[in-house]
Each structure stands twice: as structure tokens, then as C-alpha cells.
């Protein structure tokens, strides 16, 4: 090829694709001694495989190891420090060891064995993981709470805690309660499975939703309750807002401010509303606007009294006062499931039942699943769980893949207003599953159709 004068030479680069060398991932446990790995329950014949395990091979390896060893290695891989079980004393039955309880159920009499043989497999849905038993059977000097992500067995712990309290205190009345009637029915079904052969014990366990037990006790202590519906409150707020000129507050804002602040805290006067901390409310309100708002809410409160209606928060607040004055609380112990969604008034009620008594209150919930309530201080209402708050860390219902995806929605640590923290960084799942399928759709109707099609398949 010749280049004429004045012409520029153009060089066209040719790129040759070459595979870059894949850097092998380092083994996770190469530096661990035999004694340490054996202490976690790794069988001796698997020591070499464990030391060679990487991030890519650990999950497959875990499926072949004993459960306690798999849990320990998964926790090590996520930066945690596994708990090594205490050695069994020579005088102790080896079947009492937590690791043995994963594999054996010791029947103490013929009747218990017959029940186990007769029960369908669904009875084992009330299985209590050995690591959870310590929180069920522990003595607490005051109110206690266990937390954990979905699948860590909070409801099962609450169920067994209620049964444990009833068994240890033969004369006591125990309340097992949760947020809705549907959840309460599910608890009642599980309780029947757990206590099918102990009807006398089951009789001392009251299982109700919060609203159901509230209505029953309110009728006994204060008289029949005429509960104000959402529509009734909206109508009262609409009328009160129309009677106060010169404001631009929407009915939606008025209702949420009423529901989450005024009614939730049962504020009785302007001074209380002016000074209340509006945790979780995104709109800042100067005092001049609060003054206008209170004039609206005061009219709404007067309207409730004229109609002789009470809100749910008003019912539980009055009930808390009545229970506090009575010499004998309606229940000796209360166990609350889905505790992340209880309200200020609910907590006042439970504080009246037994905030100052050992073992009287036990809560199970997950701050990361709160959907109904704004955050507030439990300590300020007399329920101080500091030092008696624990996080469940073994997830035996949710696969590693699904839990890992869900954990991306929240940070590794969730804290409440009082500074109690839920650390999820060392939560582990004990089994593998297929990776979750993530679909991003344009509308709620498309989501509904997509989920419906998936269920149909």
C-alpha cells in the first residue's frame, strides 16, 4: 500500500479478546485448628473439605454436615462467633445435650410415645429449636423481649413460653395474645397441637387478639364499650375542621395526626399536645399551627363524648387505669406475639398488668416488620426491657438465599427508641433453596396478576 503526499496514515487497532485469569477465592477456614472445628461439631472425616471451602462452595458443603456444624460455619463466614455448647457432665443424660435434642425426642412414658406415633406430621410445626429453649425457660427479673427476622421462630418461642409459665405456675392465669383475630386463631391451633393431651393446662391459657381481650376486660371493669369506627372519626374530624376557619389541613393529615399522636397518646389538653414528641411524623408543626389543630381535635373529642363512643386507644387507656387500681390483675402472666405493632395504649395496659413483676411480661416481635405503629419509648411507659432483650439468630424456616435477599432491605442492626438493638449480622439459615426470582413491575395491578399467575402454577 502506498501513501500519497498529504495523506494521513490511519491505524485501525485490532482488539484480541483474551480470557483474564480467574482469581480463586480464598478458603474461609484454612486457619482454623482441628480442635476448634471439631468443637463446632464438624466430623473428623470432613475437616479437609471444610478447610478448603470458599464462599462459592460453603453452602453446598453445609448440606452434608450436621446441623450444629453447618450453623457454626455459616456464622463464622458472616463474621460472627459461634457459641460452643457446654460439655455434658458425666452425671447428665447425653440426650439432654442441645445437639442431641436436634435428633432425638426422649419419651418419658408410654402415653407420650403413643401420642407421638399417633400425631400427624403437622404436629411437629411447634418444634422448638434447642438454642431457643434457653429463652423459653429463663427467669427474667422484669419485662423481656425476643426479636428476630421472619423465620427465626419468634411465635414458637412465645407459644412455648406461655406453656412453660402455665406449667411452672399451676394456679396462674396466662394470657397469650397477638395483633389480630386471624393470628390469634393460628396461635390457638398451634396450642391445641402442643397441649392436645393436657386439657387442664390448656384451660389456664387464654388465647385472644388484643381487641378481643380488651373488649372483654373493658366490659368487666368499665361497662360495655361502643367503639368508634374509622368512618365515625373521619366524620367528626370533617365537622370539626369545617367549624374552624382559616386553615388548609387536609382530612387525611388530620386523621393521621389524630390517630398517631392525639388519640394514640390520649392527649387531654393543649399543654399535652404542645409538648408531645411527634416521633415518626414527617411534617414539622410550629406552635401556631398546633394551636389551630388542637382546636379541631378538641371539637372531635367533645363529639366522641357526646356520642358516648370510645376509640381503641381510649378503651385500653381506661382499662390500664382500672387494672392498676384493682388488687388482683386479670392475668398473672402475659405473652405478646407480633409485639412490634402494639400501640402506646396497649403497652400502658400491659404495664398495669405486671411491668414490676418478674416474668410477668414477655414480648416477641421484629422491629423490621413494624407496619402499623409509629416508634415510641417503651421505657417511658414503664416497660423497661433493657438488659432483657435478645435476638434469635437461627433461621430454620427461610432459606439462606431468601434471607440474604431480604436482609438487603434493612441494615445489619435495627434499634428502638430506647436504644435496644437487634443485630442481624450473625443470623444464619440452616438450609439452602433456589435463588429468589425478582420481578420489577410497573403497577400494583401488574403485581397482583404476576403473583396470581405464580400461585396458579
Amino acid at each position: 500500500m502506498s501513501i500519497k503526499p498529504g495523506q494521513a496514515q490511519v491505524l485501525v487497532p485490532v482488539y484480541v479478546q483474551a480470557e483474564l485469569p480467574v482469581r480463586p477465592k480464598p478458603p474461609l477456614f484454612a486457619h482454623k485448628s482441628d480442635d476448634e472445628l471439631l468443637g463446632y461439631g464438624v466430623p473428623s472425616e470432613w475437616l479437609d473439605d471444610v478447610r478448603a471451602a470458599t464462599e462459592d462452595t460453603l453452602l453446598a458443603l453445609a448440606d452434608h454436615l450436621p446441623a450444629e456444624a453447618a450453623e457454626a460455619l455459616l456464622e463464622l463466614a458472616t463474621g460472627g462467633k459461634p457459641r460452643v455448647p457446654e460439655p455434658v457432665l458425666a452425671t447428665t443424660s447425653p440426650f439432654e445435650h442441645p445437639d442431641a435434642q436436634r435428633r432425638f425426642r426422649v419419651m418419658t412414658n408410654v402415653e407420650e410415645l403413643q401420642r407421638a406415633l399417633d400425631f400427624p406430621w403437622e404436629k411437629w410445626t411447634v418444634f422448638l429449636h434447642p438454642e431457643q429453649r434457653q429463652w423459653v425457660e429463663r427467669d427474667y427479673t422484669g419485662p423481656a423481649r425476643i426479636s428476630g427476622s421472619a423465620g427465626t421462630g419468634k411465635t414458637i418461642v412465645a407459644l412455648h413460653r406461655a406453656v412453660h409459665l402455665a406449667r411452672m405456675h399451676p394456679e396462674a392465669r396466662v394470657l397469650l395474645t397477638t395483633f389480630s383475630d386471624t393470628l390469634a386463631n393460628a396461635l390457638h391451633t398451634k396450642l391445641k397441637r402442643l397441649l392436645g393431651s393436657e386439657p387442664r393446662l390448656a384451660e389456664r391459657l387464654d388465647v385472644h387478639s388484643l381487641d378481643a381481650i380488651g373488649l372483654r376486660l373493658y366490659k368487666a371493669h368499665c361497662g360495655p364499650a361502643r367503639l368508634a369506627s374509622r368512618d365515625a372519626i373521619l366524620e367528626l374530624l370533617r365537622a370539626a375542621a369545617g367549624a374552624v376557619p382559616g386553615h388548609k389541613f387536609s382530612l387525611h393529615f388530620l386523621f393521621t395526626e389524630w390517630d398517631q399522636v392525639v388519640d394514640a397518646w390520649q392527649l387531654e389538653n393543649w399543654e399535652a399536645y404542645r409538648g408531645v414528641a411527634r416521633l415518626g411524623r414527617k411534617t414539622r408543626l410550629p406552635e401556631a399551627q398546633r394551636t389551630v389543630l388542637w382546636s379541631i381535635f378538641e371539637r372531635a373529642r367533645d363529639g366522641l363524648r357526646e356520642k358516648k363512643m370510645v376509640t381503641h386507644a381510649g378503651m385500653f387507656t381506661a382499662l390500664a387505669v382500672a387494672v392498676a387500681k384493682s388488687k388482683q390483675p386479670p392475668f398473672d402472666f402475659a405473652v405478646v406475639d407480633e409485639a412490634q405493632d402494639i400501640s402506646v395504649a396497649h403497652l400502658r395496659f400491659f404495664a398495669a398488668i405486671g411491668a414490676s413483676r418478674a416474668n410477668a411480661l414477655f414480648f416477641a416481635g421484629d422491629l423490621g416488620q413494624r407496619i402499623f405503629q409509629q416508634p415510641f419509648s417503651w421505657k417511658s411507659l414503664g416497660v423497661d426491657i433493657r438488659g432483657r432483650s435478645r435476638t434469635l439468630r437461627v433461621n430454620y424456616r427461610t432459606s439462606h438465599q431468601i434471607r440474604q435477599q431480604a436482609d438487603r432491605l434493612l441494615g445489619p442492626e435495627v434499634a428502638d427508641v430506647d436504644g435496644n438493638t437487634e443485630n442481624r449480622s450473625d443470623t444464619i439459615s440452616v438450609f439452602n433453596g433456589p435463588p429468589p426470582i425478582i420481578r420489577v413491575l410497573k403497577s400494583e395491578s401488574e403485581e397482583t396478576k404476576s403473583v396470581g399467575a405464580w400461585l396458579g402454577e
Side-chain angles (χ1 to χ4, degrees):
M1 174 180 174
S2 62
I3 305 294
K4 296 181 180 179
Q7 285 185 327
Q9 185 175 3
V10 179
L11 298 177
V12 180
V14 177
Y15 295 97
V16 178
Q17 285 189 330
E19 291 188 5
L20 294 175
V22 178
R23 182 177 300 175
K25 293 186 177 181
L28 296 170
F29 313 112
H31 60 290
K32 299 297 180 183
S33 67
D34 285 359
D35 288 344
E36 183 176 359
L37 294 176
L38 291 170
Y40 294 143
V42 177
S44 57
E45 62 270 22
W46 285 91
L47 289 174
D48 292 339
D49 298 272
V50 167
R51 285 204 185 84
T54 68
E55 290 181 8
D56 296 332
T57 63
L58 176 58
L59 291 177
L61 175 66
D63 288 338
H64 299 281
L65 295 174
E68 63 274 16
E71 291 170 15
L73 294 179
L74 287 168
E75 185 170 357
L76 276 175
T78 54
K81 177 64 176 175
R83 298 157 179 79
V84 179
E86 295 292 329
V88 177
L89 299 177
T91 57
T92 305
S93 168
F95 290 102
E96 296 298 320
H97 193 281
D99 290 345
Q101 290 178 7
R102 300 170 185 263
R103 301 171 177 83
F104 301 98
R105 172 68 185 269
V106 180
M107 304 301 174
T108 56
N109 54 56
V110 175
E111 290 77 13
E112 188 177 5
L113 175 60
Q114 188 61 50
R115 289 199 306 270
L117 294 174
D118 292 341
F119 282 0
W121 281 111
E122 67 179 7
K123 304 297 183 182
W124 299 104
T125 58
V126 294
F127 165 73
L128 186 69
H129 192 281
E131 187 168 306
Q132 297 168 344
R133 188 173 298 278
Q134 58 182 316
W135 311 125
V136 168
E137 299 177 352
R138 176 169 295 199
D139 279 328
Y140 300 95
T141 57
R145 183 176 74 189
I146 58 106
S147 306
S149 57
T152 50
K154 299 180 297 298
T155 295
I156 298 303
V157 170
L159 183 71
H160 281 263
R161 177 66 178 176
V163 171
H164 172 73
L165 290 169
R167 188 170 281 132
M168 296 300 294
H169 303 274
E171 303 302 320
R173 300 290 303 185
V174 180
L175 171 65
L176 177 60
T177 186
T178 188
F179 195 76
S180 69
D181 289 331
T182 302
L183 294 173
N185 290 336
L187 277 176
H188 196 264
T189 299
K190 286 183 170 66
L191 184 66
K192 287 195 296 184
R193 292 173 183 168
L194 192 60
L195 295 178
S197 61
E198 300 177 83
R200 295 284 181 89
L201 187 60
E203 287 174 1
R204 292 190 289 107
L205 279 159
D206 286 84
V207 186
H208 301 285
S209 68
L210 283 168
D211 283 349
I213 195 64
L215 284 168
R216 193 181 88 181
L217 294 177
Y218 188 90
K219 184 177 181 180
H221 287 81
C222 309
R226 187 184 175 199
L227 287 175
S229 66
R230 177 189 173 95
D231 288 342
I233 294 170
L234 283 170
E235 188 55 42
L236 287 170
L237 288 172
R238 184 183 289 108
V244 177
H247 70 84
K248 297 181 179 179
F249 298 113
S250 68
L251 184 60
H252 173 75
F253 176 82
L254 291 173
F255 179 79
T256 55
E257 184 76 2
W258 164 273
D259 186 58
Q260 297 175 11
V261 181
V262 177
D263 187 47
W265 287 95
Q266 287 291 287
L267 304 179
E268 297 286 339
N269 50 56
W270 155 243
E271 288 74 17
Y273 181 59
R274 179 177 58 186
V276 70
R278 301 169 67 254
L279 292 175
R281 299 290 285 153
K282 297 179 180 179
T283 306
R284 296 178 62 86
L285 293 176
E287 185 168 321
Q289 287 184 316
R290 286 201 188 197
T291 303
V292 175
L293 284 167
W294 181 251
S295 66
I296 296 173
F297 296 140
E298 197 168 32
R299 283 177 168 81
R301 293 179 73 255
D302 291 342
L304 278 174
R305 281 194 292 266
E306 289 174 6
K307 294 178 179 293
K308 296 182 179 180
M309 292 192 298
V310 63
T311 64
H312 285 82
M315 177 179 71
F316 276 99
T317 299
L319 193 54
V321 173
V323 170
K325 289 180 179 178
S326 65
K327 295 181 180 179
Q328 183 66 33
F331 297 99
D332 300 286
F333 304 99
V335 178
V336 185
D337 191 27
E338 302 295 344
Q340 73 276 358
D341 285 324
I342 64 174
S343 68
V344 171
H346 291 148
L347 202 63
R348 283 174 171 160
F349 165 64
F350 289 119
I353 286 182
S356 61
R357 292 186 291 114
N359 295 316
L361 300 178
F362 187 87
F363 302 91
D366 177 12
L367 295 178
Q369 296 181 54
R370 183 195 292 122
I371 56 176
F372 295 114
Q373 299 299 334
Q374 296 294 322
F376 60 91
S377 169
W378 286 29
K379 180 173 176 282
S380 69
L381 297 173
V383 179
D384 190 357
I385 59 170
R386 291 177 302 171
R388 293 181 295 274
S389 179
R390 298 291 183 270
T391 303
L392 300 179
R393 43 181 288 280
V394 179
N395 196 317
Y396 56 88
R397 193 184 73 195
T398 305
S399 72
H400 175 81
Q401 288 77 6
I402 291 178
R403 182 190 57 77
Q404 193 174 44
Q405 190 68 38
D407 284 349
R408 296 174 61 188
L409 299 176
L410 293 171
E413 194 171 85
V414 181
D416 65 13
V417 175
D418 295 321
N420 300 293
T421 60
E422 296 179 13
N423 189 334
R424 298 159 184 262
S425 62
D426 63 347
T427 301
I428 57 172
S429 298
V430 298
F431 69 96
N432 283 313
I437 298 171
I438 301 172
R439 296 176 181 170
V440 180
L441 302 169
K442 295 180 179 179
S443 66
E444 186 176 345
S445 61
E446 285 190 22
E447 288 181 353
T448 303
K449 291 178 182 178
S450 177
V451 173
W454 180 81
L455 289 172
E457 292 173 0

